[in-house]
Amino acid sequence: MNEVVVLTPERILEVTEDVLRRYGLAKATVVDVARALDVSHGSVYRHFPSKASLREAVAKRWLDRLSAPLLKIAEASGPAPARLDKWLRTMFAIKHERLGDDPEMFATYLTLAREACKAVNCHKDCLVDQAAKILSDGVEQGSFEIADVKVTARAIFDATSRFHHPGHAEEWSDPGTPARIDAVLALLLKGLEAPRKR
Amino acid sequence: MNEVVVLTPERILEVTEDVLRRYGLAKATVVDVARALDVSHGSVYRHFPSKASLREAVAKRWLDRLSAPLLKIAEASGPAPARLDKWLRTMFAIKHERLGDDPEMFATYLTLAREACKAVNCHKDCLVDQAAKILSDGVEQGSFEIADVKVTARAIFDATSRFHHPGHAEEWSDPGTPARIDAVLALLLKGLEAPRKR
DNA sequence: TGACTGACAGATATTGAAATCTGTCAGCGA
DNA sequence: TCGCTGACAGATTTCAATATCTGTCAGTCA
């Protein structure tokens, strides 16, 4: 058959991620991506209208892979308080891990977060929805007492920014961080708790 | 008398703050400061060992002026929950206000915060101590139930980072911010609350 | 004597010309 | 026809020469 490999958006994204990892966000150019794909850079523009949109699509893929394991926890069954605790700790752990394993992509993510781009906002909304799912499970189970699930989910997200927002990444390696996570989570879970029945 | 104006650290700090405000952190030089003081730049080095120490001393002054009004609230009397709420909201308001009124100094502060310099860490510790003071008042009054006041004070500080850490300053102008502050504070205050006696 | 100056070395920042990149599009070749 | 190429204009980045700055110190002056 000797089938010619066609240029698909998916293939471009894969290669762009590699190029971004190799050269870093600041140095990577569309010409580099085209070279790695062995096509002219004009062809890349046939699939993505601008460098920014290409960069954003790569970030979206990266962020989607990040939220997938969290979705599993959010949609699992079981007591909501333990699930929320696990969900938050897993989120912190995944981001922390990525900072170590994939620093160039993390820097890209940080830049995009600063630009408040669509992909990142969408990612945040998606995570807040996952948290809201756990909270409403908790209300149903009688473990939580919450006026507005959506607003409270965002409050949980905001209150844990220190541990998941990329702007605080440098602080994560501080040796006191695990203890500080414990303290904030304890406080938040107590704040959500329904008054004990007797 | 016609007294000659002497060169004191205080006068240098005052002028440096002006220069920093006028030129911005990136552009301001020790030579500019010396020119504004009408002395040679060597004289400035007689009072401060380096540009970094001068910059840090200016930041310290600026931060001390910021925490002074908060100290009043922390040391006041009255019910701790309302006082903590007021203390936090005042902190957010002061920082927010300074971002608007004094953007160059704010950028300096942001840079120093990123460098995790001594003056900023000291400022943070000082604020956490103020929060701890209110919390321990609350424990005495029976309003709060807290295992470790110091740890919890830091947790409160961490959980409100989104609203006071300069790295989040761009997000403060978001129209949803007041509602998000309300949501986080409600959650935290409920988490501190001692179980009702009956 | 002791606060201040000003010249200096090495480090850092500025600048402008040259190189490269982004985004477009007329045209090629399958 | 349709995906791709490659040349192009304007924007951005690089690079090296030049200027400025930081921090020091021997010397001045009151």
Side-chain angles (χ1 to χ4, degrees), chain B residues 172-192:
Chain B
W172 295 346
S173 54
D174 182 285
T177 296
R180 292 168 79 153
I181 289 177
D182 291 344
V184 169
L185 293 192
L187 192 54
L188 292 177
L189 283 166
K190 184 147 173 286
L192 291 170

Side-chain angles (χ1 to χ4, degrees), chain B residues 57-99:
Chain B
V58 172
K60 185 178 178 335
R61 251 172 63 106
W62 193 76
L63 292 172
D64 286 348
R65 291 203 305 267
L66 189 151
S67 48
L70 292 174
L71 185 62
K72 282 221 177 65
I73 299 173
E75 292 189 332
S77 56
R83 204 136 48 87
L84 181 62
D85 187 85
K86 191 180 171 196
W87 185 84
L88 286 166
R89 287 178 191 279
T90 306
M91 173 168 65
F92 305 158
I94 291 176
K95 295 218 180 183
H96 202 148
E97 194 182 296
R98 290 221 174 173
L99 172 62

Side-chain angles (χ1 to χ4, degrees), chain A residues 3 16 49 58 62 86 113 116 118 144 151 171 178 181 196 198:
Chain A
E3 203 175 316
T16 305
V58 172
W62 193 76
K86 189 180 172 194
K118 213 181 113 200
F144 292 154
V151 166
E171 301 164 30
I181 290 177
R196 283 164 232 127
R198 42 184 76 208

Side-chain angles (χ1 to χ4, degrees), chain B residues 101-127:
Chain B
D101 295 353
D102 210 349
E104 288 300 353
M105 279 306 294
F106 200 91
T108 301
Y109 164 42
L110 172 56
T111 302
L112 291 168
R114 280 202 205 297
E115 289 168 1
C117 81
K118 212 180 115 201
V120 172
N121 284 325
C122 167
H123 171 68
K124 283 187 205 166
D125 289 345
C126 163
L127 289 179

Side-chain angles (χ1 to χ4, degrees), chain B residues 96-171:
Chain B
H96 202 148
E97 194 182 296
R98 290 221 174 173
L99 172 62
D101 295 353
D102 210 349
E104 288 300 353
M105 279 306 294
F106 200 91
T108 301
Y109 164 42
L110 172 56
T111 302
L112 291 168
R114 280 202 205 297
E115 289 168 1
C117 81
K118 212 180 115 201
V120 172
N121 284 325
C122 167
H123 171 68
K124 283 187 205 166
D125 289 345
C126 163
L127 289 179
V128 170
D129 284 346
Q130 289 185 20
K133 168 71 168 64
I134 302 178
L135 291 185
S136 65
D137 286 358
V139 170
E140 254 177 52
Q141 294 166 3
S143 322
F144 292 153
E145 185 184 59
I146 295 171
D148 183 326
V149 165
K150 180 80 191 183
V151 166
T152 304
R154 211 175 45 182
I156 297 273
F157 195 76
D158 284 343
T160 51
S161 294
R162 169 75 170 65
F163 309 116
H164 63 73
H165 191 291
H168 290 277
E170 293 144 29
E171 301 164 30

Side-chain angles (χ1 to χ4, degrees), chain A residues 6-7 27 38-43 46-47:
Chain A
V6 289
L7 191 60
K27 294 282 182 184
D38 211 35
V39 296
S40 77
H41 75 279
S43 302
R46 181 159 301 281
H47 297 277

